[in-house]
Amino acid sequence: MTRTVQADRHRTARRTAIAASVAALALGLGSTGFVLAPASAAAATNTLVVNANQTLRPVTHVATGSLYGLANATQPSVSLAQAIKPNTFVQMPAGGRQQPTGDISVVAPTAVSVGAKLVNRLSDYYAGWPYQFSWNTWTPFVNSQITAMKQSSYYNSISAYELWNESDNTWQSANGSYENFWTTTFRQVRSIDATKPIQGPSFSDNISGMRTFLQNAVATNTVPDILAWHELSSSSKIAGDVAAVQAIEDQLGIARRPIAIEEYASPSEVGLPGPLVGYIAKFERLGIRDAELAFWNQSGTLGDLLTARGGSPNAAYWLYTWYGAMSGDMVVTTPPGQTGIDGFAAVPRAATRSASSPATARDPAR
């Protein structure tokens, strides 16, 4: 959620890294291999099952991105960013006015050097919340911005254009309907760049308008290449939201799109390993394309994994370095019902796995 003011080592193979929060009752298993003791029947309700013989997908660190995680050319440092293997940064367009930092053209060298992708959030060209939009300025801006991106040295690192941010909070009815804005802007971007993915609708923590949006997109042939929204209240609702959106796709005859969660975690969860484990686990389990920690406090902190811009790592940072150290394949984990415990795991592709019984782990907080 972007506002003018925000309330808004690689670990060695065969080692398990566990991050836990007693308050959140969340268990995170981050490993390039593991040796886990079987759980007793008495502890079954506190057991996270790691099915080492069931592969989800190759490790891609989908949840290590952030919104405005990069502030400028030096903050955060390349070494701090590299350690978490950042997947994607959502940043302000070149010349944007929404924030004093985070211009994509300024931070792109850092993103490129750490192997991360970039999403250009076009709406952050404007200052204010809601955005100070005008068709008179928007149309020429889109022309110049997309042209500049195509000519930039980092064009290949741009994974998508995000047309607008949180229309359910920021779109003014005086500007016409959001659906008309989407159709017009989608076509304009496509006329300049025929291949780069476009993502949206980028709703806030609210997908109630998804059917209306997609009905219009189908009717106007402007269905986004990537479906995007935000999860800013609880990891427990992610699976339901994904299922609801995919059901709408199926009902409207839309081929399933990749999903990007452009902002995730609430203000009370950022920087805390326990709550964040649940988000990572669900993004991996549900096959999310990429997910970015929200920008609640300060830009340039990798999504509040640092104590301040130019600051030191906090506890959550080390969770993400363990996650970033994963290699090989993500494997299936089964959380124990409604306990709040969750986790994720990976194994090296060459590891010997037993298909006869799953590995298990007890919650160390109990």
Side-chain angles (χ1 to χ4, degrees):
M1 182 175 294
T2 307
R3 295 181 176 89
T4 304
V5 177
Q6 297 294 334
D8 339 30
R9 271 141 229 355
H10 187 281
R11 284 288 194 259
T12 56
R14 315 295 302 169
R15 185 174 180 184
T16 300
I18 297 179
S21 166
V22 177
L25 293 178
L27 170 66
L29 294 169
S31 62
T32 52
F34 56 85
V35 179
L36 300 172
S40 66
T45 57
N46 301 329
T47 301
L48 174 80
V49 179
V50 179
N51 301 288
N53 60 326
Q54 296 181 33
T55 298
L56 279 172
R57 57 179 174 182
V59 168
T60 56
H61 312 115
V62 296
T64 54
S66 49
L67 170 65
Y68 283 91
L70 304 177
N72 50 49
T74 60
Q75 294 175 311
S77 67
V78 168
S79 60
L80 282 173
Q82 181 63 64
I84 68 168
K85 303 289 197 304
N87 184 290
T88 305
F89 292 109
V90 176
Q91 301 284 156
M92 181 172 69
R97 305 166 187 170
Q98 174 59 210
Q99 299 293 329
T101 62
D103 186 306
I104 195 171
S105 65
V106 175
V107 305
T110 297
V112 172
S113 69
V114 300
K117 301 186 290 290
L118 289 159
V119 170
N120 189 327
R121 175 171 280 182
L122 297 178
S123 59
D124 282 12
Y125 166 70
Y126 290 113
W129 190 266
Y131 297 110
Q132 298 169 7
F133 172 85
S134 163
W135 281 110
N136 291 333
T137 55
W138 180 252
T139 300
F141 158 71
V142 171
N143 283 334
S144 62
Q145 184 74 187
I146 304 306
T147 299
M149 293 301 101
K150 288 186 68 177
Q151 296 171 350
S152 70
S153 61
Y154 51 89
Y155 177 75
N156 289 337
S157 293
I158 298 173
S159 63
Y161 300 120
E162 177 191 343
L163 303 190
W164 195 261
N165 174 46
E166 298 191 353
S167 62
D168 47 322
N169 292 323
T170 65
W171 185 255
Q172 303 291 294
S173 59
N175 297 318
S177 72
Y178 179 66
E179 287 73 28
N180 179 64
F181 164 84
W182 174 269
T183 302
T184 302
T185 303
F186 185 103
R187 290 172 175 170
Q188 183 184 0
V189 172
R190 271 287 163 266
S191 71
I192 305 168
D193 190 333
T195 59
K196 188 66 70 178
I198 294 172
Q199 68 185 49
S202 308
F203 292 151
S204 66
D205 194 37
N206 168 25
I207 60 167
S208 63
M210 190 66 77
R211 181 178 296 276
T212 298
F213 169 81
L214 286 176
Q215 285 174 331
N216 173 77
V218 169
T220 59
N221 196 29
T222 59
V223 177
D225 304 290
I226 303 161
L227 282 176
W229 68 90
H230 308 161
E231 294 285 350
L232 297 168
S233 59
S234 171
S235 65
S236 64
K237 65 187 283 293
I238 297 170
D241 285 351
V242 169
V245 170
Q246 291 182 331
I248 295 170
E249 288 181 286
D250 295 345
Q251 293 159 11
L252 296 180
I254 302 171
R256 293 272 181 95
R257 280 354 191 211
I259 293 172
I261 305 298
E262 299 160 335
E263 305 179 30
Y264 74 87
S266 71
S268 63
E269 293 173 321
V270 293
L272 300 176
L276 295 176
V277 166
Y279 285 92
I280 298 171
K282 291 171 180 65
F283 295 146
E284 291 290 352
R285 193 175 296 130
L286 294 166
I288 300 303
R289 179 184 186 267
D290 60 85
E292 291 73 54
L293 284 158
F295 167 23
W296 288 114
N297 296 300
Q298 195 168 36
S299 65
T301 62
L302 302 172
D304 286 321
L305 299 184
L306 305 176
T307 57
R309 188 184 304 153
S312 303
N314 60 29
Y317 176 86
W318 301 114
L319 165 66
Y320 281 78
T321 63
W322 299 335
Y323 177 38
M326 287 181 169
S327 62
D329 294 313
M330 301 302 298
V331 293
V332 173
T333 58
T334 306
Q338 300 302 311
T339 62
I341 298 169
D342 209 341
F344 51 92
V347 296
R349 290 190 180 91
T352 300
R353 308 173 194 173
S354 171
S356 60
S357 62
T360 60
R362 295 189 186 93
D363 174 14
R366 298 198 176 201

